[in-house]
Structures are given as C-alpha cells and as structure tokens.
Amino acid sequence: MEKNSVDVSLLTSYHCIGYYSGWIYCSFGRRYGMVIDDQNATTISAGIDGGQPWRRSFGDNIVYSDWRKDNYYRTLKKLIPSASRIAIEMDHISLEEYNRLKENFPHVSFVDVSKPAMTMRLIKSNEEINLITKGARIADIGGVACSQAIKAGIPEHEIALASTQAMVREIAQSFPFVELMDTWTWFQSGQNTDGAHNPVTNRTVQPGDILSLNCFPMIFGYYTALERTLFCEYASDVHLDIWEKNCHVHRHGLSLIKPGVRCCDIAAELNELYRSWGLLSYRSFGYGHSFGVLSHYYGREAAVELREDVDTVLEPGMVVSMEPMLTIPPHIEGAGGYREHDILVVNENGTTNITGFPFGPEYNIIT
C-alpha cells in the first residue's frame, strides 16, 4: 500500500477477507468488507452474523444493522474518514457497488488491489502447507469411502454422500476447533462425467460405466481435492486405451512440475503428448492450478494455472495440481470424461506429492 500510495484497502471478496482476516462470510445478499490502513484491520459484518466475525477475525470487527438504509456505507465512512486513494477488488465488486462507492467517497481515487492481493497469496507459509497437506490426506479418506460405496444400481448421490460424510467426520476429529462448512463431493457416472464441475444426480451406476470421483474437503476456507477416473466392474478396450494414455500424461505432468519452470511450458509439452495420439482436441481445460483460500463458488489464484497463456514461473512455496482431462463426446467410442488429480508442494529441490490415493486401471476398476 505504501509503495503504491494507497491510504486504505477495502477488501470485499470471500477469498481476500478469508485470507487476511481468517473469517469466511456468508453473503446472502448483504455487503461485507475488510478495511485495512497502516494502523488497523477491521472486518464489517451484518448483524445477522452475531459475534462470529469478531471471534474469527484477525483484527477488529464492526457490525452494522438493517435498521437504517445504507448502514454499510456509514460504517465505511466511519472507518475511512479521510483518504485520497482507496484500493478495491475490481475483479469482485459489481458496477452498482463501484458507483455506490464513488457516490459515498466523491473525492477519492479508486485503484485495483485484486492482483497484488492474489500475488501475496501464491507463496504459502509453512502453516498453510501443513493445513493443505492435512486436507489432501482427508481427501484420500473421502476417495476410499467413495470407491467402497460404488456398486451397480446405486445412485450417484448416495455414493457422494458416503464420501462427504467420511471427510466431514475426519475433519472434525483432526482439529481441536474447526468450522464444518462447504466440504463436498462430486461423483458422476456415464455421460455425466463429461464436465469437471457437473453436479451430482440421482442417476444409478451401471456395469461398464466410466465414473468420476471428486472429493473436496474445505478446512478454514482452504480447498483441497482428489479426482480420479474409475469404472464400474469393467472397462472396454477402447476406454482402457484412452484412460491409460491420460494416466501417462498425468505421470509426465507430475515430473514437469518443479521450481523455475513456466506454467505455459508445462502445458505446451503435455499438449504434444495428446497431439501425438490425435487426442488434443478432446482436452477440456488447463493442466492444473494453485491451491489456497478458494472454493467452487469463490476465489481463484489465476496467476498460477498450467495453461498456454500463463507465463508465471513456479517457485518454492507454491502449491499446484496436475490434473489432465480428456472429454470424449457421446457419439465416439470410449465416450466420457477422464481425469486424474494430484496436489504437489513446490520446494527448493523439486516437489512433494501430498496425494496418496492411487490412479489408473490397476486400482480403480471397482468390482
């Protein structure tokens, strides 16, 4: 802030408020914020949240009520009595909110803090790495529960519930105090596997189905993941061939992640493998991403994604995934979505893979 002549930062996103204060808010149509100046850090919360924001926050907390219109902005003006430059998250606030801020602070220049705030989140502390490592262990537990629940005739939602319950219980047992919120499982079967974020349905699993296991424990706002391709009872020769090729890409991708390597170079090299088999057109998204305070509905550390358009150099302290995915459309033999996913901690000498659940046909044809 001092370097950029910023008097005050106003954070508004789930991920930034969660990262810098320790509290994950629940918006429900209300406004929330965190005001940071050279002396204080103060979260702003609605009365409906009671004392929870204060208990969880690093700094102070002010609660505003709904008894008068625009009490949120009155609180902001109380916390920011004078400023010439205020930093805001321009990738998060709406146009309406931006206009309201300009109305309430007519003589202020607003600058964007979203990218600098994200950059600070990219290098994890030892404490963060320890928490993410515990999350990866718990994701493995969810994977075991999920695979044990798989059986022909069982609906997707019942299999997903078994996984989620196992993870929530393990989170509760693993920490002296923890907020049990937002842990979830996506489990898809057959054509439902074609998207990485497709919702769970009540479709029943059939023999020979391609399956997609996706376990996501959430601990204090930190997201970890385990994703695996599986089959129910058997896999056709065509499915096996595609699956094994995707596993080969996954293994090679794991070997490419190391300090000093650019994200785009990893993507380019893996593209060549898919291209050699005529499969590149079926690749559906980037090869991996950063981990930290993020979720399926908030947060992203877009500066570290293993994509062709990201030239960030990997550094020790970063935590990234390797997760190649192919989507073969329904009219082609071997149809379905194939995806493997491991989490790696980048260190001075290479990486540490903190995912333990095995992948590939040898382990994940469930009979």
Side-chain angles (χ1 to χ4, degrees):
M1 289 168 61
E2 182 178 0
K3 180 180 176 181
N4 292 281
S5 301
V6 168
D7 304 307
V8 177
S9 287
L10 169 61
L11 306 179
T12 52
S13 67
Y14 293 101
H15 41 284
C16 270
I17 293 178
Y19 181 83
Y20 291 101
S21 79
W23 166 57
I24 302 289
Y25 68 83
C26 174
S27 173
F28 230 106
R30 295 175 172 86
R31 290 183 169 88
Y32 290 83
M34 183 177 184
V35 174
I36 302 171
D37 60 25
D38 62 347
Q39 298 292 324
N40 302 291
T42 307
T43 51
I44 304 169
S45 60
I48 195 170
D49 297 302
Q52 172 72 352
W54 180 82
R55 291 193 297 271
R56 292 296 303 149
S57 292
F58 160 77
D60 295 325
N61 170 253
I62 292 182
V63 177
Y64 72 91
S65 76
D66 296 329
W67 292 5
R68 292 178 64 192
K69 187 177 177 61
D70 288 343
N71 273 350
Y72 173 80
Y73 297 103
R74 289 189 174 89
T75 306
L76 282 180
K77 287 192 275 190
K78 178 178 179 180
L79 289 170
I80 311 173
S82 62
S84 60
R85 282 168 61 84
I86 298 178
I88 59 176
E89 295 181 76
M90 289 188 175
D91 66 344
H92 177 260
I93 65 169
S94 65
L95 180 59
E96 177 191 10
E97 176 68 6
Y98 183 54
N99 289 332
R100 297 293 301 277
L101 287 171
K102 290 196 294 184
E103 290 172 9
N104 282 275
F105 297 94
H107 305 297
V108 165
S109 296
F110 291 98
V111 297
D112 186 21
V113 75
S114 58
K115 288 185 175 136
M118 175 186 65
T119 301
M120 290 178 68
R121 301 197 308 273
L122 294 179
I123 305 298
K124 314 304 175 190
S125 66
N126 291 334
E127 292 82 1
E128 288 179 284
I129 291 172
N130 180 52
L131 179 60
I132 293 169
T133 301
K134 290 179 179 178
R137 177 185 66 83
I138 292 168
D140 287 343
I141 290 171
V144 171
C146 188
S147 63
Q148 290 175 345
I150 293 170
K151 186 177 181 182
I154 303 297
E156 291 177 0
H157 70 276
E158 291 293 343
I159 297 168
L161 282 170
S163 170
T164 301
Q165 288 175 348
M167 291 189 290
V168 169
R169 287 171 178 150
E170 185 61 27
I171 293 169
Q173 293 174 6
S174 298
F175 297 87
F177 170 79
V178 67
E179 297 168 336
L180 299 166
M181 56 184 289
D182 298 332
T183 292
W184 83 103
T185 300
W186 281 322
F187 176 80
Q188 302 105 357
S189 62
Q191 186 172 321
N192 294 342
T193 64
D194 65 351
H197 303 148
N198 290 351
V200 174
T201 75
N202 58 355
R203 179 188 185 276
T204 57
V205 173
Q206 304 298 316
D209 269 351
I210 186 171
L211 310 171
S212 187
L213 173 159
N214 309 266
C215 303
F216 306 107
M218 289 288 292
I219 309 168
F220 300 118
Y222 280 79
Y223 157 102
T224 48
L226 168 70
E227 301 173 11
R228 290 289 184 259
T229 301
L230 311 94
F231 278 80
C232 179
E233 298 186 7
Y234 66 90
S236 72
D237 290 343
V238 176
H239 279 105
L240 279 173
D241 180 62
I242 298 170
W243 188 10
E244 287 170 345
K245 285 172 178 171
N246 203 53
C247 288
H248 180 78
V249 172
H250 184 57
R251 291 188 188 95
H252 188 58
L254 291 172
S255 73
L256 296 178
I257 297 175
K258 59 187 70 172
V261 176
R262 295 193 306 169
C263 295
C264 56
D265 293 336
I266 294 173
E269 184 163 341
L270 296 180
N271 280 347
E272 290 307 310
L273 278 175
Y274 281 141
R275 183 178 284 110
S276 70
W277 299 316
L279 293 172
L280 184 58
S281 61
Y282 301 122
R283 202 203 92 195
S284 56
F285 57 89
Y287 289 100
H289 58 80
S290 180
F291 278 77
V293 179
L294 54 97
S295 175
H296 58 315
Y297 62 89
Y298 66 81
R300 182 168 173 168
E301 295 176 357
V304 178
E305 295 199 9
L306 306 183
R307 298 193 327 233
E308 296 84 349
D309 60 342
V310 177
D311 60 4
T312 303
V313 176
L314 297 180
E315 300 179 42
M318 292 180 174
V319 181
V320 297
S321 63
M322 172 50 56
E323 49 177 308
M325 180 174 180
L326 290 172
T327 299
I328 310 300
H331 64 281
I332 296 177
E333 197 174 1
Y338 303 76
R339 184 167 77 262
E340 313 299 338
H341 179 295
D342 286 28
I343 302 173
L344 296 94
V345 177
V346 182
N347 51 50
E348 296 289 345
N349 301 314
T351 60
T352 301
N353 190 331
I354 59 175
T355 297
F357 194 94
F359 64 90
E362 180 182 356
Y363 303 100
N364 290 327
I365 297 177
I366 309 301
T367 57

